[in-house]
Amino acid sequence: AVSIAASDNEEERGNTLPNRAHTVISEITTRHGVEVDPAILFEAAQGAYYAREYPRAITAFKDVLAVLEHADTAARIEIGPKVMWHLGRCYQNEERLMEAAVTFRAALERYSGDPQFDGQNAESYYATMRVLQRQMRGDPSIEAMFKSSEQLVAQYQSGVAAEIAYRNAEKA
């Protein structure tokens, strides 16, 4: 049942069938005693994310992370950055910006290795810290996190690095 739902999810993008597939996957994977591949758990969590059920998605993404703790390195690098980015986006959509920022940073510290999502996590961390910096002007811990986000985004997104360098030069 899980493989059929996963297949429907992949083949039927753009209509309601993937949402139903995510629901089926979620129902199967949450049964007691069922062990499921982290990639399938991720699909189920994505269903809640795309349905904009962010509290449920947060719980589901955390469940994926719990399974990844015992997975091999390849699975952690393949799935971890995606899970963390989606989890951070859930926090952003729930207006929990500090949790989002910490999630994006943790993605780079614990699960780096995916070029696409490493860049997205770095950029999301930086964007979130810019908002928090504006909201909490002068807070030393926020300023330190903002500097950290600048360094990480410069490391993972070369296009943004030039913008940061220009802004720092203007400040100087």
Side-chain angles (χ1 to χ4, degrees):
V2 169
S3 64
I4 291 169
S7 170
D8 286 344
N9 179 46
E10 286 298 315
E11 295 171 8
E12 302 294 331
R13 299 259 182 219
N15 63 35
T16 61
L17 198 54
N19 286 341
R20 288 192 215 151
H22 287 168
T23 302
V24 169
I25 293 169
S26 180
E27 288 173 8
I28 293 168
T29 58
T30 56
R31 290 185 180 170
H32 181 69
V34 174
E35 289 186 30
V36 182
D37 184 78
I40 293 180
L41 290 174
F42 174 70
E43 290 288 329
Q46 247 185 337
Y49 174 81
Y50 290 133
R52 293 188 169 106
E53 297 172 5
Y54 299 118
R56 191 174 73 123
I58 289 169
T59 301
F61 286 126
K62 286 182 178 181
D63 290 344
V64 177
L65 291 173
V67 171
L68 282 178
E69 288 298 317
H70 306 291
D72 63 4
T73 304
R76 290 171 50 91
I77 290 173
E78 177 187 353
I79 299 168
K82 292 187 255 188
V83 171
M84 296 296 277
W85 183 82
H86 283 85
L87 181 58
R89 293 291 296 144
C90 287
Y91 286 134
Q92 283 179 325
N93 287 314
E94 289 287 299
E95 297 183 17
R96 297 163 59 179
L97 296 182
M98 185 57 77
E99 289 168 286
V102 170
T103 300
F104 295 130
R105 183 182 68 200
L108 298 168
E109 293 170 351
R110 298 183 70 201
Y111 298 104
S112 66
D114 180 315
Q116 177 190 358
F117 278 95
D118 286 351
Q120 285 181 299
N121 280 315
E123 198 167 322
S124 297
Y125 178 40
Y126 175 67
T128 304
M129 288 312 305
R130 284 186 70 181
V131 171
L132 286 170
Q133 183 193 37
R134 275 184 252 135
Q135 290 176 352
M136 300 178 190
R137 290 204 184 274
D139 185 307
S141 60
I142 297 296
E143 291 298 326
M145 286 179 73
F146 179 72
K147 290 288 183 199
S148 163
S149 74
E150 283 184 324
Q151 292 168 349
L152 286 170
V153 79
Q155 178 181 344
Y156 290 101
Q157 293 282 47
S158 58
V160 180
E163 174 190 330
I164 292 169
Y166 179 78
R167 205 169 328 118
N168 288 338
E170 274 188 325
K171 285 179 191 175

